[in-house]
Amino acid sequence: MLAKLCEKSPQLHKIDLIWGPSSLPIVYGTLRMLLKQKHLTSINLPRRNVPLTAEVFAHLALLSSITSLSCHFGDIPFAEDDYNLLRTKIRSTLFPSLQQLHLGAKSFAMINELLACIDFPHLTLLSVTALAGAPRCDMVALLQNVGTLCKGIHTLYISCPYIFDGPSGSKQPMGRLSAPAPIDEQTLKSLLSLVGIRDLVLDIHSPHHIDDALLARIAATWPRLTRLKFGGLFPWGALPSDKHVDPHEALFDEQADTEVAHWGLPEDWVRADGPSTAWPTHISRDPNPLRAWSLPPATLSGVLTFLRDCPDITELGVEVDAQPLYESPSTPIHAAQRCAMERLHVGLSPVGDPYTVAAILSDAFPSVHEIKSGWRDLEDHSGQRIHSIRRDQEDWASAKLYRMQWQTVQELVPYFAAVREQERKWRRNASGSHEGHSGA
């Protein structure tokens, strides 16, 4: 059937292959037929059922017309001779027109080897997916390769279900002894050398340390960002196997301050450094899932400053300390200039009085229609805690509180935004009426 299609459409430009499991002779016979089509500009191969060999990938790389390629490599790693198939080619002849590349593999190690063999003079979009956990060193190497080899990209998507410490190419261990170092400014240093980034998603299950200073540097480097997301489906600290980055660090002092700002929390929920941020002090002592959780370093004020400097952004995913602001933020709330933000993903972010937070967010970005936290992922659809954690544990109570607080924030934001818009209309009408009387 494919042969008939190619015969009737010799100028075929795009093809998406969707099929069930097939024998390798059928798979590679089909691919060989595709490689004869000199006018193809877009090829999308099924993720699981068409694992590429080094030979087929090398042939694809020589198709001068290809501008978009989506493919997946099998579970069997390439041998050194397989990479030599690419290394022996003239680099300028490999993917000379490629603009969009989607690669999937068992881990980052193979993708790093492939990227090192090819120049991408016209690449604008790169999507890399590791289907299994990857050593942190391979993730860092991938970011360095992207920063060095893909200077022209404006869209970058990297996905990995688990990051762990280990040598390059090693397999995910059955258990976890310690947490990997967080993704921070040093980790992202090579990416920050790319000046054209407008869409960045690091869908990686790993600790993160994204603070106000890093957000400010990102905004200064990529002022045209439209999307920025850190963290995966389950934020670090949500899975039973997650460990605290520093197991010896005391997140909260045992002695809680007795002076409490009252906004709806029990009086014993306050951080030891004073009434500026209230928090349940027992979380650090509980041996269950929240033992891996850390207070996010980014502040709501820092996020607002970031949004002021990236006015085109529509989606942001970053954990933030969204407890009440007891001191004036360094940048006025209105400085966010009511950006076009539509979706906010906050992971395991603490949140205080939902009315205060909703008032701030509704003023900064009234168009937001989705505010999602990771606290709700700690429950199943029946409201029960996943991983068989007892519901009467205190960490569960605090997690449920933050989930409910963020849900309340999302419900309040559109109402507050509508009220603000009506107030602005009244002021405009009043101003117009006053000018009319003055003119008369």
Side-chain angles (χ1 to χ4, degrees):
M1 183 176 66
L2 184 60
K4 182 65 69 174
L5 173 64
C6 294
E7 179 182 343
K8 291 184 174 294
S9 303
Q11 304 294 317
L12 188 66
H13 288 280
K14 178 180 179 180
I15 187 165
D16 295 340
L17 290 180
I18 302 175
W19 55 29
S22 304
S23 65
L24 288 181
I26 293 178
V27 169
Y28 295 126
T30 301
L31 292 176
R32 281 194 294 270
M33 190 173 302
L34 285 180
L35 295 175
K36 297 178 182 179
Q37 305 307 305
K38 302 301 183 183
H39 299 283
L40 278 176
T41 60
S42 177
I43 298 179
N44 180 19
L45 302 176
R47 193 180 82 170
R48 291 283 188 179
N49 299 327
V50 190
L52 294 188
T53 63
E55 182 181 4
V56 171
F57 187 74
H59 281 297
L60 286 172
L62 294 173
L63 292 178
S64 60
S65 59
I66 292 292
T67 60
S68 177
L69 173 65
S70 177
C71 60
H72 171 262
F73 298 95
D75 296 339
I76 301 175
F78 285 3
E80 189 64 22
D81 289 343
D82 294 325
Y83 295 115
N84 286 335
L85 284 174
L86 293 171
R87 295 182 184 126
T88 56
K89 309 292 184 182
I90 300 175
R91 293 178 69 96
S92 61
T93 65
L94 301 177
F95 293 118
S97 304
L98 194 65
Q99 299 175 21
Q100 300 184 8
L101 178 61
H102 303 261
L103 291 177
K106 196 72 173 178
S107 71
F108 290 143
M110 175 184 289
I111 294 177
N112 283 330
E113 292 282 359
L114 291 172
L115 292 180
C117 298
I118 305 170
D119 292 329
F120 297 98
H122 304 293
L123 195 67
T124 60
L125 181 152
L126 176 63
S127 174
V128 175
T129 301
L131 301 179
R136 188 180 190 280
C137 61
D138 287 343
M139 177 196 70
V140 172
L142 174 63
L143 298 179
Q144 292 173 345
N145 282 333
V146 172
T148 302
L149 303 172
C150 308
K151 292 293 187 181
I153 65 171
H154 58 65
T155 301
L156 177 62
Y157 178 89
I158 299 178
S159 176
C160 181
Y162 215 65
I163 293 295
F164 59 90
D165 286 325
S168 177
S170 59
K171 295 183 178 180
Q172 180 176 332
M174 293 298 293
R176 181 189 287 280
L177 297 178
S178 62
I183 295 175
D184 57 9
E185 184 168 358
Q186 182 62 31
T187 314
L188 301 176
K189 182 178 179 180
S190 56
L191 290 187
L192 289 166
S193 66
L194 304 173
V195 297
I197 292 292
R198 299 191 64 182
D199 188 347
L200 174 63
V201 176
L202 298 184
D203 186 5
I204 300 173
H205 187 71
S206 165
H208 287 71
H209 186 88
I210 310 299
D211 57 14
D212 291 353
L214 178 53
L215 287 175
R217 184 176 177 188
I218 289 174
T221 306
W222 304 320
R224 301 296 305 279
L225 272 174
T226 59
R227 179 170 63 162
L228 177 68
K229 292 184 69 176
F230 293 107
L233 176 62
F234 290 99
W236 190 262
L239 299 183
S241 55
D242 294 344
K243 304 293 184 183
H244 195 275
V245 175
D246 183 357
H248 303 294
E249 176 187 353
L251 290 181
F252 304 102
D253 197 296
E254 297 289 335
Q255 300 298 322
D257 195 309
T258 56
E259 182 183 357
V260 179
H262 293 278
W263 44 271
L265 285 179
E267 290 191 2
D268 63 332
W269 285 23
V270 61
R271 282 189 59 185
D273 55 0
S276 60
T277 50
W279 195 258
T281 59
H282 52 257
I283 287 183
S284 63
R285 301 196 300 270
D286 194 284
N288 282 301
L290 292 184
R291 67 188 181 276
W293 183 88
S294 296
L295 185 70
T299 66
L300 200 53
S301 175
V303 168
L304 293 174
T305 303
F306 169 79
L307 293 173
R308 176 201 63 189
D309 297 332
C310 295
D312 297 333
I313 199 162
T314 60
E315 185 172 359
L316 177 64
V318 64
E319 292 190 333
V320 57
D321 183 359
Q323 298 174 94
L325 300 175
Y326 286 86
E327 298 179 0
S328 299
S330 58
T331 301
I333 299 301
H334 66 268
Q337 299 176 343
R338 297 185 179 88
C339 70
M341 253 257 295
E342 298 176 352
R343 291 175 293 277
L344 177 64
H345 296 192
V346 296
L348 297 182
S349 295
V351 58
D353 178 16
Y355 292 88
T356 300
V357 175
I360 294 172
L361 299 187
S362 64
D363 188 42
F365 30 91
S367 299
V368 66
H369 59 77
E370 178 182 280
I371 300 176
K372 180 181 177 181
S373 80
W375 299 111
R376 72 178 187 178
D377 294 326
L378 299 181
E379 298 177 83
D380 62 20
H381 295 296
S382 64
Q384 299 291 326
R385 182 68 183 271
I386 61 175
H387 311 313
S388 301
I389 302 301
R390 291 180 11 237
R391 290 174 58 86
D392 59 349
Q393 291 176 343
E394 291 180 334
D395 69 335
W396 164 223
S398 58
K400 185 173 183 178
L401 172 70
Y402 297 128
R403 188 265 297 170
M404 295 173 64
Q405 298 281 57
W406 277 115
Q407 182 176 334
T408 301
V409 170
Q410 171 153 336
E411 293 170 354
L412 290 174
V413 164
Y415 291 107
F416 286 6
V419 170
R420 293 179 189 279
E421 180 58 30
Q422 185 62 52
E423 289 175 343
R424 285 190 286 270
K425 289 181 179 178
W426 286 339
R427 284 195 294 269
R428 287 195 296 268
N429 292 338
S431 175
S433 176
H434 177 73
E435 290 175 1
H437 286 301
S438 299

